[in-house]
């Protein structure tokens, strides 16, 4: 049963992801964490950290990890989790890939048509909101701890601010940000 | 000259295995492999493929692989390219996911992840602003992303519904708007 739900969910996620990995993150958060509860908010944040550190498309990485965790969290053994991860990755690419092969050539000719351009523009605007919602959804207790003058919260806010500035102003590569924040966490929470 | 399946597979394997940070980070490496090394397409064709893969739903890198493989050797060419592109990342993630379930409770791993989580929030928050710029958000259309974000965040509306509504709204708007621009 969970395999069927997993397949269907990632099929839909793949078909409705416009504008790259970050919008897929928003969709996966909505479905996998929000709707189905296959993963906790904490696990989802950890997944994002992991999928930014490993090679490959973020969308595939997220689907693979989510598929595995969803199945194992439902009480199945590890090998079933591996099947789940392959199923989720397959489901997430199959509709877009079919579209690319079936209508790619036609679209290449008509991509500058004004009506299509307007639809794409509105979708792209909405996707900005999708990613914003994903970021807001992550700003909870699982990422920062309980708000107040406690060590966890203060350290977390400092790391967030530093990471934000490093990425936004200085265009530091996400992998260095992940590495540095991991070290910062290890040091700050060990002393 | 027809491209060999193993060349297609190997090219996309390299692209998938050696780029960290998502699909768009793969563009330079893809360009080197497909345009410069194998001369499977010209520079302009490559740019068209990039634009189209971005416009289509789904995972950008996989769309690129599907399109290139399909144009070179049909369905099996597409399959070779896609499998090559995702093979190493999937194995990597699976190993990590398994490792993670075993070592999650470990005190050192836990402290590292306490530090990672707020940084991840920043990694998702910054693209909001860069994407807003490339989507050309202005005072007259900023209500679209704001309303989308609030509907999802506060009311728990599914992002899928928002994308559907945006597509439908965009289509209706394009019918109303005279095509002079």
């Amino acid at each position: 049963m969970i395999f069927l739900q997993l397949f269907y969910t990632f099929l839909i996620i793949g078909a409705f992801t416009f504008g790259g990995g970050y919008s897929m993150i928003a969709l996966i958060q909505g479905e996998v964490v929000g709707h189905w509860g296959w993963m906790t908010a904490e696990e989802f944040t950890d997944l994002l950290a992991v999928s930014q550190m490993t090679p490959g498309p973020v969308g595939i990485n997220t689907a693979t990890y989510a598929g595995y965790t969803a199945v194992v969290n439902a009480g199945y053994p590890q090998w079933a989790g591996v099947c789940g991860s392959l199923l989720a990755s397959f489901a997430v690419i199959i509709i877009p890939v079919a579209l690319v092969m079936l209508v790619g050539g036609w679209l290449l000719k008509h991509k500058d048509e004004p009506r299509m351009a307007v639809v794409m523009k509105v979708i792209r605007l909405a996707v900005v909101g999708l990613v914003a919602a994903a970021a807001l959804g992550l700003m909870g207790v699982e990422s920062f701890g309980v708000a107040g003058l406690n060590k966890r919260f203060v350290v977390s806010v400092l790391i967030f601010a530093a990471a934000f500035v490093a990425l936004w102003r200085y265009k530091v590569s996400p992998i260095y940000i992940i590495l540095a924040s991991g070290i910062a966490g290890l040091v700050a929470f060990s002393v | 000259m027809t491209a060999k399946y193993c060349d297609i597979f190997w090219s996309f394997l390299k692209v998938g295995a050696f780029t960290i940070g998502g699909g768009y980070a793969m563009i330079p490496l893809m360009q080197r492999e497909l345009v410069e090394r194998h001369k499977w397409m010209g520079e302009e064709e490559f740019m068209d493929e990039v634009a189209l893969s971005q416009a289509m739903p789904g995972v950008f890198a996989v769309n690129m692989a599907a399109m290139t493989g399909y144009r070179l050797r049909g369905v099996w060419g597409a399959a070779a390219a896609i499998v090559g592109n995702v093979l190493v990342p999937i194995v990597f993630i699976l190993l990590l996911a398994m490792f993670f379930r075993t070592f999650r409770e470990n005190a050192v791993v836990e402290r590292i992840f306490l530090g990672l989580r707020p940084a991840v929030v920043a990694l998702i928050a910054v693209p909001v602003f860069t994407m807003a710029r490339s989507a050309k958000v202005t005072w007259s259309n900023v209500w679209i992303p704001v309303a989308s974000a609030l509907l999802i965040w506060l009311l728990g509306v599914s992002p899928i519904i928002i994308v559907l509504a945006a597509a439908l709204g965009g289509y209706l708007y394009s019918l109303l708007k005279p095509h002079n621009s």
Side-chain angles (χ1 to χ4, degrees), chain A residues 41-52:
Chain A
E42 235 168 77
E43 279 173 315
F44 185 72
T45 319
D46 296 347
L47 146 65
L48 295 183
V50 168
S51 67
Q52 303 256 351

Side-chain angles (χ1 to χ4, degrees), chain A residues 17 46 54 56 73 107 115 178, chain B residues 19 57-58 101 104 116-117 174:
Chain A
T17 293
D46 296 347
T54 57
N73 277 0
L107 267 175
R115 191 164 292 168
I178 295 275
Chain B
T19 32
R101 294 196 75 83
R104 208 153 200 275
L116 287 183
R117 285 183 199 145
S174 77

Side-chain angles (χ1 to χ4, degrees), chain B:
Chain B
M1 188 196 80
T2 45
K4 291 196 203 107
Y5 289 127
C6 63
D7 282 342
I8 300 175
F9 174 80
W10 189 243
S11 280
F12 277 96
L13 186 98
K14 276 194 276 185
V15 169
F18 291 113
T19 32
I20 289 171
Y24 298 129
M26 292 181 186
I27 294 177
L29 196 57
M30 280 184 186
Q31 198 236 22
R32 203 159 72 209
E33 281 294 315
L34 309 180
V35 182
E36 286 164 27
R37 188 143 178 271
H38 289 290
K39 302 198 168 36
W40 282 330
M41 61 182 82
E43 187 68 44
E44 202 165 312
E45 238 178 315
F46 180 75
M47 292 316 292
D48 277 351
E49 271 201 13
V50 170
L52 188 64
S53 297
Q54 277 176 302
M56 301 285 270
V59 180
F60 167 75
V62 174
N63 290 352
M64 279 296 286
M67 207 178 310
T68 309
Y70 186 68
R71 285 171 64 183
L72 290 172
R73 288 301 299 270
V75 173
W76 291 108
I82 294 168
V83 173
N85 192 229
V86 303
L87 190 63
V88 175
I90 285 183
V91 171
F92 235 98
I93 283 282
L94 270 177
L95 291 176
L96 269 169
M98 289 173 180
F99 163 87
F100 220 59
R101 294 196 75 83
T102 323
F103 292 94
R104 208 153 200 275
E105 311 300 318
N106 177 288
V108 172
V109 174
E110 201 170 330
R111 283 172 198 151
I112 291 175
F113 271 85
L114 281 182
L116 287 183
R117 285 183 199 145
V120 167
V121 181
L123 292 184
I124 309 294
V126 169
V128 175
F129 299 98
T130 46
M131 287 171 84
R133 206 186 287 153
S134 68
K136 302 202 177 66
V137 173
T138 60
W139 285 113
S140 62
N141 65 25
V142 71
W143 66 271
I144 298 176
V146 169
S148 309
L150 292 180
L151 283 171
I152 299 169
W153 185 49
L154 293 179
L155 300 180
V157 175
S158 163
I160 291 168
I161 304 289
I162 301 293
V163 173
L164 265 179
L168 193 67
Y171 180 69
L172 292 176
Y173 177 70
S174 77
L175 292 179
L176 293 171
K177 207 180 84 155
H179 292 293
N180 47 11
S181 52

Side-chain angles (χ1 to χ4, degrees), chain A residues 1-133:
Chain A
M1 198 54 206
I2 184 153
F3 289 99
L4 214 66
Q5 293 167 341
L6 203 63
F7 182 77
Y8 166 77
T9 302
F10 277 93
L11 199 71
I12 300 290
I13 289 174
F16 286 92
T17 293
F18 287 90
Y22 290 108
S23 68
M24 186 170 280
I25 287 171
L27 265 80
I28 293 182
Q29 189 187 37
E31 294 302 303
V32 173
V33 184
H35 181 71
W36 291 105
W38 284 330
M39 268 177 154
T40 63
E42 235 168 77
E43 279 173 315
F44 185 72
T45 319
D46 296 347
L47 146 65
L48 295 183
V50 168
S51 67
Q52 303 256 351
M53 276 189 295
T54 57
V58 172
I60 290 290
N61 294 350
T62 325
T64 305
Y65 193 108
Y68 179 85
T69 311
V71 171
V72 176
N73 277 0
Y76 291 89
Q78 279 197 335
W79 64 265
V82 174
C83 296
S85 75
L86 295 178
L87 186 71
S89 306
F90 176 73
V92 90
I93 65 172
I94 196 68
I95 288 183
V97 164
L99 277 178
V100 163
M101 296 198 291
L102 292 174
V103 298
W106 179 84
L107 267 175
L108 213 48
K109 259 182 263 158
H110 293 79
K111 71 178 161 52
D112 296 321
E113 222 190 287
R115 191 164 292 168
M116 186 113 79
V118 172
V119 174
M120 285 314 300
K121 184 172 165 61
V122 177
I123 291 180
R124 229 169 265 148
L125 285 168
V127 164
V128 174
L130 252 62
V131 181

